[in-house]
Amino acid sequence: MELLKKKIREEGMVLSDSVLKVDSFINHGVDPQLMDAIGEEFAGRFGGQGITKVLTIESSGIAPGLMAALKLRVPLIFARKRQSLTQSEGLITSKVYSFTKREENTISISGKYIQRGDKVLIIDDFLANGQAAFGLIDLVEKAGADIAGIGIVIEKSFQDGGAILRQKGFRVESLAEIESLEAGRIAFKEDQASELNRS
Ligand code: G4P
């Protein structure tokens, strides 16, 4: 997705060989026009398959997830990382280990919102080692629903989450695939121009 790659080239900061900072438009500041286009792109790629729900995880998955849900005309559900005060019955939970933060979170959704018969599109902002995606898949499977696919805004293809998910037979669609962040350069998969942009 050219618009997204342009934004990453212009505003992305390479923090290390494995971490890309995109705080100005995805992880802290959010660019609504870009999110609108991202939602449209996901809807174009996954539309026509009878998707009934979009599932993401708080917090940075919510903006792209909401726009995808809006364009697909289905509800959005976001998994919580902390249990809500008002949510206790019928919780479906899964454990997610973050390599970045070196901590384990229990993520949850209410069984009310995803049920047998649902066809779920999973959306997230980043795909690195795939732990968040595996946790979301586990929630959908525990709910007895089907997975239509996994839509990712930025995939770091030098980490193995995408390869494992595809090997398992999931349809993974990433709007920007980054092959390398070495030496401060953002190298997209197809190969495109990279940029020196170390913060
Ligand atoms: P994984 O789910 O693919 O295994 O990723 P990992 O555990 O390594 O990532 C933990 C958190 O860090 C996730 O956000 C993930 O989106 C984010 N992340 C991973 N790699 C990058 C990166 O290169 N740049 C940025 N900006 N984020 C990255 P989170 O902790 O759930 O944060 P949030 O959704 O609340 O913002």
Side-chain angles (χ1 to χ4, degrees):
M1 185 183 168
E2 253 336 291
L3 185 65
L4 173 64
K5 287 178 184 162
K6 181 168 179 282
K7 193 84 171 172
I8 294 171
R9 280 189 211 104
E10 287 171 359
E11 297 186 26
M13 299 280 194
V14 179
L15 289 192
S16 70
D17 284 359
S18 63
V19 178
L20 175 69
K21 182 168 167 156
V22 286
D23 269 28
S24 66
F25 58 101
I26 293 180
N27 292 129
H28 191 38
V30 178
D31 179 333
Q33 276 78 35
L34 179 67
M35 286 301 162
D36 184 73
I38 283 172
E40 197 73 51
E41 183 73 27
F42 281 135
R45 294 190 192 201
F46 289 102
Q49 292 180 46
I51 287 165
T52 60
K53 305 274 165 66
V54 171
L55 174 66
T56 188
I57 181 163
E58 64 173 340
S59 54
S60 301
I62 294 176
L66 179 64
M67 295 315 288
L70 177 68
K71 307 286 174 176
L72 287 164
R73 302 275 165 213
V74 298
L76 171 74
I77 292 95
F78 64 89
R80 291 178 178 272
K81 292 179 185 159
R82 289 206 190 124
Q83 200 175 328
S84 140
L85 274 179
T86 57
Q87 226 185 31
S88 55
E89 279 170 44
L91 273 192
I92 301 172
T93 63
S94 186
K95 298 228 186 288
V96 171
Y97 179 75
S98 165
F99 286 99
T100 314
K101 296 183 176 165
R102 294 201 174 83
E103 64 182 26
E104 191 174 70
N105 282 303
T106 299
I107 65 167
S108 63
I109 55 170
S110 162
K112 258 198 312 206
Y113 299 120
I114 295 188
Q115 296 181 335
R116 194 169 295 280
D118 272 322
K119 196 159 183 191
V120 180
L121 172 63
I122 291 172
I123 297 282
D124 207 359
D125 58 333
F126 267 92
L127 177 59
N129 299 295
Q131 296 302 307
F134 298 137
L136 293 171
I137 289 167
D138 188 40
L139 293 179
V140 176
E141 288 177 344
K142 283 176 176 162
D146 292 326
I147 295 164
I150 300 163
I152 298 293
V153 180
I154 302 176
E155 175 176 350
K156 295 185 291 180
S157 43
F158 55 88
Q159 291 175 286
D160 59 10
I164 296 171
L165 290 166
R166 291 181 181 99
Q167 237 167 41
K168 287 180 184 282
F170 291 104
R171 177 176 172 205
V172 182
E173 292 278 341
S174 301
L175 306 189
E177 274 188 71
I178 292 175
E179 201 166 56
S180 161
L181 293 172
E182 280 171 26
R185 292 162 59 92
I186 302 169
F188 290 103
K189 196 166 176 193
E190 302 82 353
D191 112 44
Q192 269 136 26
S194 26
E195 195 174 339
L196 200 62
N197 206 355
R198 199 181 269 280
S199 67

